[in-house]
Amino acid sequence: MARSTIAFPALLLACFALLKLGFAEHVPQPAPGYDDSLELCIKNMTEECGIEIFQNIVHKGPPITDACCSVLLKFGHPCHSELILAVLSTGKFAPHEAEILQKSAAAWKRCRSIVEGH
């Protein structure tokens, strides 16, 4: 079965390219330093785990593995939140925004519990 999902980091970089080129006029402009912040975040996420986390949160994929939970926690909550909001800002997932935000919070909580043992 062919994967139709774009890698999480690639999707985010495409969003920023659209913003910089002016093709996404309806998308609010990020605060100064936002692009740099997200670029640093992306560098701390592996492609494999980025895809796995994206699939879990956005496409009702399987649970995030313990290994990717560790990567997610090292990635940090601020980066996780910023990237989820960046994905939502594209408008592509607007009909599912509430569900995505809920799944994002649940994924973070579950991974934190797994990694930190809470």
Side-chain angles (χ1 to χ4, degrees):
M1 183 170 144
R3 284 195 173 187
S4 62
T5 303
I6 299 172
F8 192 57
L11 175 62
L12 293 171
L13 291 175
C15 293
F16 296 119
L18 289 174
L19 283 171
K20 287 185 179 198
L21 294 173
F23 293 124
E25 295 173 8
H26 65 282
V27 178
Q29 293 295 318
Y34 191 71
D35 288 352
D36 295 336
S37 172
L38 286 175
E39 285 180 26
L40 288 173
C41 287
I42 291 168
K43 289 179 183 179
N44 293 318
M45 175 60 66
T46 66
E47 184 175 353
E48 178 183 327
C49 289
I51 291 169
E52 184 176 304
I53 293 164
F54 184 79
Q55 287 286 341
N56 174 266
I57 294 172
V58 178
H59 292 295
K60 300 179 184 179
I64 300 168
T65 62
D66 292 1
C68 286
C69 276
S70 292
V71 171
L72 179 61
L73 260 63
K74 287 178 188 171
F75 186 60
H77 193 267
C79 285
H80 175 67
S81 296
E82 282 184 50
L83 289 172
I84 292 297
L85 293 175
V87 168
L88 291 174
S89 75
T90 67
K92 181 177 179 179
F93 304 102
H96 307 287
E97 184 172 338
E99 179 184 1
I100 289 170
L101 289 171
Q102 180 181 18
K103 289 186 78 175
S104 169
W108 181 264
K109 184 177 178 180
R110 179 184 168 275
C111 284
R112 185 171 176 203
S113 174
I114 288 168
V115 173
E116 296 179 354
H118 295 126

